[in-house]
Amino acid sequence: MTSSTSSNSLPDYVCPADGTRVAPQSLAWCCPVCRGPLDLDFHPTPTPLKRLSGRVNSLWRYAESLPLGPPTASLGEGRTPVVELTPHISAKLDFLLPTLSFKDRGAVLLAELALRLGPERVIADSSGNAGTALAAYGARAGLDCTVYVPAGTSPKKLEQIRAHGARLEVIAGDREAAAAAARSAADAPGTFYASHVYNPYFLHGTKTYVHELWEDLGGRLPDALVVPVGNGTLLLGAALALRELHAARLIDRVPALYAVQAAAVAPLAAAWRAGADDLLAPAPGLAPQPSTYAEGIAIARPPRARQILAAVRAFGGGFLTVPEPAIAAAQRDLASRGLYVESTGVACWAAVRGGALGDRSAVVPLCGAGAKTGLAEAAE
């Protein structure tokens, strides 16, 4: 299947849990049976390396791998550079995308989809970066956009959302409370829920991270991909790309996928250590969720948990956790190298800079700009 240009040729949604199919023109944001996230019945064949030369210098150069196109709301997203940090570890600078985070990769797909479906309003929920990305692409596309955020979201991210003209709904409570408020509003008639968690178009945007690595490394990939995981949108997008490239025989092996969580909020890592296929049941009388510098991955109950755990197992990886002092130290270390990255975005470097992967080659994403949150203060 190649990219689509109208709502009539978009792929069906399919529930990964029970197989329920949903029409592509629907504004339904979840499976009508189990209320879980949806996937796309879309299995593209990526373009060989030699045919990419001369194409547009954005993620849209991989048009055959994307479920819709051509774009009308693009801001030139994609094609971020890769720089060496050590002889074995390189970083992909996704904080150089238009809204200063990797979320642009998925947000542009959601904006394009909304343009084709023509809703009355677009809503989203976010801890900050996805909200700023959706606000920006919503502005570019001329969409009516409201973003739900938790109290305590970085003031700099709130300022960015407002600057793009989106309405803000600040919800008392944590990230889960903001998501619950958005989901309550998502069923209103004429509403498109631009969820970077539930809507699979977002994952097909984030997978271009791997397509770019593959192209920039001359048709190969490193031994390991290390990604921060809260809701898992970058990891699941990476898994999509790896499967597509391998099925097309454009790579002869797939790298291991490693997921990084802050030790303070690591529900997936806990499930992994227990050998579970899904999140562990919360303990009775559980204390309030602790805070972490890595606010963008502080997700207590990610809806795609089963898929995240299955992907890490399928690609022979594992989970790494990082304490707060290590996050702060990694942020300062990168800044000393000329790379000012927000505290969530440094989590992967914090996890591997001490040699956790041995001499295997790896790439880590630097996901968001430091100007969005400021400098983390190391614990004494």
Side-chain angles (χ1 to χ4, degrees), residues 17-357:
D18 58 34
T20 300
R21 301 182 76 85
V22 177
Q25 299 85 4
S26 172
L27 289 177
W29 56 271
C30 65
C31 173
V33 177
C34 71
R35 302 289 285 180
L38 295 167
D39 286 344
L40 283 183
D41 187 6
F42 179 66
H43 310 283
T45 300
T47 300
L49 197 64
K50 63 184 179 181
R51 288 175 49 196
L52 294 173
S53 178
R55 289 193 174 192
V56 62
N57 194 37
S58 73
L59 63 80
W60 295 97
R61 69 196 282 109
Y62 312 109
E64 291 83 358
S65 295
L66 296 173
L68 51 72
T72 57
S74 176
L75 291 168
E77 55 286 331
R79 303 296 291 144
T80 54
V82 177
V83 300
E84 184 179 279
L85 297 177
T86 75
H88 301 296
I89 301 172
S90 295
K92 187 161 174 58
L93 310 190
D94 262 20
F95 69 91
L96 298 180
L97 285 162
T99 76
L100 310 182
S101 93
F102 87 96
K103 297 290 177 62
D104 291 1
R105 295 183 182 277
V108 68
L109 268 291
L110 293 182
E112 292 292 341
L113 179 61
L115 279 174
R116 286 154 177 76
L117 298 180
E120 296 174 18
R121 69 194 66 83
V122 174
I123 67 169
D125 59 272
S126 170
S127 60
N129 281 338
T132 60
L134 289 161
Y137 284 95
R140 181 74 167 174
L143 299 167
D144 181 288
C145 188
T146 300
V147 181
Y148 291 73
V149 298
T153 298
S154 164
K156 296 177 182 180
K157 294 178 181 179
L158 299 182
E159 178 184 342
Q160 190 178 3
I161 292 170
R162 289 192 183 99
H164 292 306
R167 285 182 293 278
L168 270 169
E169 292 285 348
V170 180
I171 304 301
D174 61 11
R175 179 68 180 85
E176 296 297 311
R183 290 195 295 267
S184 294
D187 289 325
T191 301
F192 175 70
Y193 182 24
S195 172
H196 60 291
V197 181
Y198 280 81
N199 194 301
Y201 279 84
F202 197 92
L203 307 182
H204 284 270
T206 62
K207 76 182 180 184
T208 60
Y209 171 88
V210 171
H211 283 276
E212 290 177 19
L213 275 179
W214 166 76
E215 182 181 2
D216 289 343
L217 296 178
R220 61 182 182 84
L221 288 167
D223 297 327
L225 296 176
V226 185
V227 295
V229 171
N231 278 310
T233 56
L234 183 54
L235 184 138
L236 292 173
L240 282 173
L242 293 178
R243 292 187 182 102
E244 292 167 4
L245 290 166
H246 193 255
R249 299 183 179 179
L250 296 176
I251 52 174
D252 57 9
R253 61 169 184 82
V254 292
L257 270 180
Y258 283 87
V260 176
Q261 296 207 287
V265 186
L268 289 159
W272 176 266
R273 288 192 296 269
D277 294 329
D278 205 344
L279 297 174
L280 304 178
L286 191 65
Q289 177 175 307
S291 62
T292 172
Y293 296 137
E295 62 180 10
I297 54 173
I299 308 298
R301 309 293 296 178
R304 292 187 183 268
R306 292 185 67 89
Q307 290 178 289
I308 296 165
L309 290 162
V312 173
R313 288 194 176 95
F315 289 99
F319 277 80
L320 304 171
T321 57
V322 288
E324 299 303 291
I327 295 172
Q331 188 183 36
R332 283 174 165 77
D333 178 69
L334 286 173
S336 75
R337 299 164 183 257
L339 300 167
Y340 188 33
V341 184
E342 70 172 325
S343 46
T344 298
V346 307
C348 292
W349 178 233
V352 302
R353 64 190 288 245
L357 298 181

